[in-house]
Amino acid sequence: MPAAALLLLLLLTTSSAFAAASPPRACAMAAAVASTPLLAFLERLQEAALAAFGPRDFDPKLYIDLSLRSDLASVERAFAALPRSPNGSVPAGDLKKFVAAHFGGAGSDLVPARPPDFVPEPAGFLPRVKSPAVRAWALKVHALWSNLSRRVDDSVRERPDWHTLLPLPGPVVIPGSRFREVYYWDSYWVIRGLLASKMYVTAKTIVNNLIYLLDTYGHVLNGARAYYTNRSQPPLLSAMIRAIYEKTHDKEFVVKSLPALLKEHDFWTSGLHQITVQDRDCSHNLSRYYAMWDKPRPESSTIDKESASNISSTSEKQKFYREVASTAESGWDFSTRWMRNPEDITTLATTSILPVDLNIYILRMELDISFFGKIAGNDNIAKHFLEAAKAREKAVSTVFWNERMGQWLDYWVGNSSSCMEGQHWDAANQNKNVFASNFLPLWIDVFNSDKNLVEKVAKSLRSSGLLRDAGIATSLTNSSEQWDFPNGWAPLQHMIAEGLARSGSSEARSLAEDIVVRWIRTNYVAYKKTGAMHEKYDVQKCGEFGGGGEYIPQTGFGWSNGVVLAFLDEFGWPEDRRIDCQ
């Protein structure tokens, strides 16, 4: 073994392992991350644009993603000199000229970058796909990796104060459309698709970029923008590394990544992210989403301010803004899952919820780190994280599992502003509403290896009302929020189907194949109709893309592409199976 690797293992043995085993940091209120002068000005510009152009198809993120052409002070002077109408707004024509003169377009600081390992048709691509029509479409989806690949322009490193985009060491794969930067949890399904496309170098580069963000900011950011530094996203970094290792068996890659995973685990299992729930037998440590922010999200500032306009108390507004940012950290922004009143977004209470899926991701992280510890030859890490995983598995089974429903349910806790030590478990605190997240523990081998449990959960899924003509609905509530009915999302289809398929149950495997067929068909037919892959789909009807939420439907689309390719790689498509909606 190289000397550098031996040194790293020594450091891991004598430092990181014991840091990981140490008690969590004391609970304290998370301070809001300071904004930048550029962000503060762009929020003012965002408000001026809404007043000038009106709310129709208005996307506030467009203005927060602009980059300066000259120093901020001179741009602010030019903005102050613009003519104003009697109500103080800037005339639309003048504002349009001002933006064109002083800013590069949103996304102009990311430039196309052809992936080094992209080829139009990789050797051994999707060997189980026998249908010529499906193979031809899959190759078009594969080709989208080249379209979605970018690198951060050199100007971002030279003048970081002129950009909200953050520098990264390597190229990225973006989701698409308004999502012009790399995103955290999207990247897991992008990587699963890249692995099906044999693009191992690109997959590793994505992980290295995320580790760079973690090392720089203390956590993997929601996305690579200055306005995302106040929160993370569902923690799937270890799952990305595990997926890459299973394809490449690159031990050096695992060993190099391990210290970052220890740091991420500490972020999610200490301070305000961790909650203790006490039952009759023992205490269970579980995690929640909790963003370090109590102001409007800069990328959606006008929306958040409008939502909070009827809240009179400053402290209550700050609490609402923290809940909004914490919901964005969950990835499910937005859903009635997080609301006390499903008809009122100001009742978001995400920090008062222990989410099933977050704790499943952390359980997966603990199992992965234990596995990686063995690969690295570090028995201390392997043993410690196996014990942590067993404790979390017990907590998931105790706090979340509902035997009558055959599902794992989110758990409501008390006052979100406190540490909430010593919460006493009460079955009445389980959220009895049905969400796709109630079935996500199937994704983890410690649950999908129990055949009787899997068959009980599969039966519950079949009767839940979530399984529709074109896939699994996110919830049963049609709220107009995008993480509710009738939208279906690629990540949820993938985790549930993969978990069912990995079980030893033929019944569960059959259900998984049914979900996969429905999902692939709706993606295929929508692509044939629109020429695009979509961010989300309407599961009520085959071939329809989804809607709702804060912005118009987006195309591209990173995780949808990845899930289609991963499904086709795993399940294939026989020549005699129809691909249309009939």
Side-chain angles (χ1 to χ4, degrees), residues 48-54 63 82-83 85 89-99:
L50 177 59
F53 303 130
Y63 298 93
L82 288 173
S85 65
S89 64
V90 179
D94 293 290
L95 188 62
K96 188 174 182 180
K97 291 177 183 177
F98 168 80
V99 170

Side-chain angles (χ1 to χ4, degrees), residues 365-385:
M365 186 194 311
E366 289 162 346
L367 292 168
D368 288 339
I369 293 175
S370 178
F371 176 74
F372 297 152
K374 291 178 183 178
I375 291 174
N378 193 309
D379 292 337
N380 288 339
I381 287 179
K383 180 180 178 182
H384 171 72
F385 280 93

Side-chain angles (χ1 to χ4, degrees), residues 236-401:
L236 291 166
L237 182 61
S238 75
M240 300 178 205
I241 296 166
R242 182 71 175 263
I244 292 170
Y245 176 78
E246 288 174 352
K247 289 290 186 180
T248 66
H249 303 289
D250 187 339
K251 293 183 179 181
E252 184 178 351
F253 175 68
V254 167
V255 172
K256 184 179 177 182
S257 303
L258 189 51
L261 293 178
L262 300 178
K263 185 183 297 185
E264 175 163 64
H265 185 267
D266 185 56
F267 172 79
W268 283 105
T269 59
S270 61
L272 280 160
H273 279 119
Q274 180 164 285
I275 306 260
T276 301
V277 177
Q278 179 77 41
D279 67 10
R280 287 183 297 178
D281 300 321
C282 61
S283 297
H284 304 284
N285 292 325
L286 291 162
S287 298
R288 63 172 169 170
Y289 294 108
Y290 198 101
M292 297 169 284
W293 196 247
D294 59 5
K295 301 176 180 66
R297 296 165 297 156
E299 77 280 11
S300 301
S301 181
T302 54
I303 295 173
D304 290 353
K305 287 178 180 178
E306 174 63 25
S307 297
S309 60
N310 292 325
I311 302 175
S312 56
S313 164
T314 299
S315 62
E316 287 300 308
K317 278 191 177 184
Q318 290 176 334
K319 182 178 182 299
F320 169 67
Y321 292 143
R322 187 182 299 280
E323 296 297 340
V324 170
S326 298
T327 310
E329 184 171 66
S330 80
W332 284 47
D333 44 342
F334 293 93
S335 171
T336 54
R337 180 184 176 194
W338 313 113
M339 300 177 194
R340 295 189 185 277
N341 177 354
E343 297 180 355
D344 184 357
I345 198 168
T346 65
T347 66
L348 282 171
T350 307
T351 63
S352 294
I353 296 170
L354 293 174
V356 169
D357 44 3
L358 172 60
N359 286 281
I360 288 303
Y361 303 145
I362 297 173
L363 173 56
R364 172 69 189 265
M365 186 194 311
E366 289 162 346
L367 292 168
D368 288 339
I369 293 175
S370 178
F371 176 74
F372 297 152
K374 291 178 183 178
I375 291 174
N378 193 309
D379 292 337
N380 288 339
I381 287 179
K383 180 180 178 182
H384 171 72
F385 280 93
L386 181 59
E387 291 172 353
K390 288 179 179 177
R392 191 170 300 271
E393 177 190 350
K394 183 177 180 181
V396 167
S397 297
T398 300
V399 175
F400 298 134
W401 175 248

